[in-house]
């Protein structure tokens, strides 16, 4: 995986939205657009899927369309180690903001990423589309 600078792209402030192949991830993209507009950042939507795991093609197509409507590029990456890939993606691209859904359980991948990247502002989007910053307390409760 190449970083934006390795691909010849200027490193400009970035809001990164991490989605799965579910229709309900639309709320993440829309919240990411609001955050990107507020902070003056570029918006990118990323789906990282485990290699060999079937995805919902209708949901992916839908999320592509929603990304386009929100002036965001959407990329799909396949990896045998999605958590490691996401960690490397954040390390290489140094986003200002990362938007995700809610963690499913304590000590999840999200909690681990929140602890690893203290300089990144993380945000979660609840089921009603409400964007909330990840606080220091959120980061340490695992």
């Amino acid at each position: 995986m190449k970083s934006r600078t390795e691909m010849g792209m200027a490193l400009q402030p970035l809001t990164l939205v991490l989605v799965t192949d579910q229709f309900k991830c639309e709320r993440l993209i829309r919240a990411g657009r609001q955050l990107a507009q507020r902070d003056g950042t570029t918006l990118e939507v990323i789906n990282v899927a485990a290699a060999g795991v079937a995805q919902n093609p209708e949901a992916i197509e839908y999320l592509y369309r929603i990304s386009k409507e929100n002036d965001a590029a959407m990329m799909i990456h396949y990896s045998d180690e999605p958590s490691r890939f996401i960690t490397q993606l954040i390390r290489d691209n140094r986003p200002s903001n990362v938007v995700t859904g809610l963690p499913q359980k304590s000590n999840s991948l999200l909690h681990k990423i929140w602890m690893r990247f203290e300089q990144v502002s993380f945000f979660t989007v609840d089921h009603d589309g409400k964007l909330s910053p990840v606080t220091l307390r959120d980061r340490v409760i695992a």
Side-chain angles (χ1 to χ4, degrees):
M1 169 188 60
K2 291 185 176 182
S3 69
R4 292 182 301 148
T5 52
E6 291 172 324
M7 294 187 300
M9 299 170 69
L11 195 58
Q12 49 190 263
L14 173 67
T15 293
L16 188 64
V17 178
L18 301 177
V19 299
T20 58
D21 64 336
Q22 301 175 54
F23 288 96
K24 63 186 176 181
C25 286
E26 169 186 353
R27 74 188 195 286
L28 305 178
I29 298 167
R30 294 192 189 286
R33 168 48 50 211
Q34 292 174 352
L35 183 60
Q37 285 177 319
R38 183 194 81 184
D39 291 356
T41 60
T42 300
L43 182 63
E44 290 185 13
V45 177
I46 305 291
N47 172 268
V48 180
V53 174
Q55 286 201 282
N56 180 340
E58 292 84 19
I60 292 293
E61 182 61 35
Y62 177 73
L63 295 175
Y64 264 115
R65 188 167 40 86
I66 297 300
S67 295
K68 185 177 179 182
E69 290 172 6
N70 285 276
D71 297 320
M74 181 176 168
M75 292 170 268
I76 299 174
H77 298 278
Y78 296 94
S79 174
D80 291 328
E81 299 180 61
S83 61
R84 182 174 282 175
F85 187 91
I86 291 169
T87 299
Q88 191 65 44
L89 183 75
I90 293 171
R91 184 177 295 122
D92 289 348
N93 291 284
R94 294 179 262 153
S96 300
N97 306 307
V98 176
V99 177
T100 69
L102 298 168
Q104 297 298 314
K105 58 185 177 189
S106 61
N107 200 25
S108 71
L109 166 64
L110 292 178
H111 289 103
K112 292 173 186 171
I113 291 172
W114 295 343
M115 290 300 294
R116 187 169 290 149
F117 296 101
E118 294 178 21
Q119 74 284 7
V120 175
S121 295
F122 289 93
F123 295 83
T124 59
V125 180
D126 69 13
H127 298 289
D128 295 323
K130 181 182 175 205
L131 182 72
S132 299
V134 173
T135 65
L136 179 59
R137 181 182 175 142
D138 296 326
R139 290 177 190 245
V140 297
I141 294 177

